[in-house]
Amino acid sequence: MNPATLAADFRARFGAQPRLFRAPGRINIIGEHTDYSEGFVLPAAIDRWCLVAAAPNGLARLRAVSQTFGEEMEADLSALAPRGDWADYVAGPAKTLLEAGLAVVGADLLIASDVPVGAGVSSSAALQVAVTRALLALSGLEADGVQVACWTRASENRFVGMPCGIMDSYASANGIENGALMLDCRSLQATPAPLPDDASFLLVNSMVSHRLVGGEYRQRREDCEAAARTLGVPTLRDLAEADLPAALRKLSGDAAKRCRHVVSENARVGRAETAMAAGDLAALGALMNQSHASLRDDMEVSLPVIDQLAAIAQATPGVHGARLMGGGFGGCVIALVDSAAAGDVQAAIAGAYGAVIGETPEAFVCRAVAGASEVFA
Ligand code: GLA
C-alpha cells in the first residue's frame, strides 16, 4: 500500500502518470442501525485506506484494475451497469456523478486497499469515496466532503442495491485526525469528538464475513420504517426516550423491538459523546456494552459467535467495553481498551476467541485519521 509503488504499477499497466487518491475505512464507537432512521452516530475514519491511482484515458470509458481481487473491469461511461461484484463500487460512483449532470471524463484506475473486506469497517464506502474523489479531480470538478458522502451513498443505494445509511461514506469522506464525528444523520451536521488520550479502539474480527446478509439489513430498515409509520412520525429519530413507553404500547413484535433499539441507541450516542468529552472511560465502555445487548436482543443483528467474542472482550482486564460494530451478522467487535495494555489485551482476546473458532482472528488497534484526499507520492 505504498503510493509510489502503486503509481509505478499504474505506469507499467497503463503507460501514463497517475494522480493518487485515498479514502479510509471507519470504526463506529456507538450508534448502530440508527443512521437510516436519521439518528445519531459516532464514527471515526481509521488508518486503513483504499488507494486509487488514476489518469484520464481520453476515451469515454472506465477501465479499472483491482489489486485486491486480481480482476479488471471495463465499460463505456454511457453503458455502466451493475455486474454484482467489486466493479460496482467503481462504476456506481461514475454513474452517480453522471446522473448528477457532471461531465465525468473517461479514466483508468488501479486500486489497492488494506481495509479488510467483509469486516464491517466499510471497505466498500472507502472504495467508492476514493473513486468519487478521483473522478471529480480528473474531471476538474470540486465538491465538499458532505456532497461526496451523499453521492457515495446514492451509488451504494441505487447502483449497488444496498440500502445503507450515510454513516460509512460520511466518515470516510469527512473523518478527522485523532477524533470521531458526532453526526446527526438528518441534518448531516457533524461535531468533532476528540478521542480519549489514554484509551484506544481495538478491532477483533469475528472472521464471519457479513457479505451475504443484504436481505437481513434491508429487513431491519423496513422494520424501522414500518414502526415509524405506525407511530405517525417521519422516522424513529423523532422519538425521545421519554416517548418510548407510549410508543411501545402502540407497537408489537419486531417493530417494538426495533423501535426500542433505535430510540435507546440514539440516547446512548449522546451520553457517549458526553462521557468521551469527560474522559470517563468506564461510562463510555458501559454504554458500548449496552449497545451490544440492544443490537443482540432488540435489533437482532448479532450471531452466537459474535456474542461470544463480545463477552470475551468485555471480560478481559484492560477493556472498558465492547460491542458488535457495523451492520451485524459478522464483521468486527470494537473494544475500548487502555492504551498501555492494548498489546496484552489484543493477545488475550485473540487467544481466547481463537480457541473458540479454531483460527487466529485478525485484530488491530486503530488510529483516527482525516477523511479522503489526494496523496502525493
Ligand atoms: C452498515 C451500513 C451503515 C449502517 C451500519 C449499521 O455499515 O452501511 O449505513 O447502517 O451498517 O449501523
Side-chain angles (χ1 to χ4, degrees), residues 3 8 20 25 27 61 101 124 166 223 233 258 263 277 279 286 327 337 341 344 350 354-355 364 373:
L20 295 158
I27 54 170
R61 285 178 84 65
S124 58
I166 193 79
D223 291 347
V233 291
R258 310 301 184 242
V263 175
V337 304
D344 292 344
F364 58 96
S373 68

Side-chain angles (χ1 to χ4, degrees), residues 8-24:
D9 291 350
F10 185 96
R11 286 192 296 273
R13 179 73 171 69
F14 292 108
Q17 179 63 31
R19 290 169 71 182
L20 295 158
F21 303 85
R22 71 177 184 183

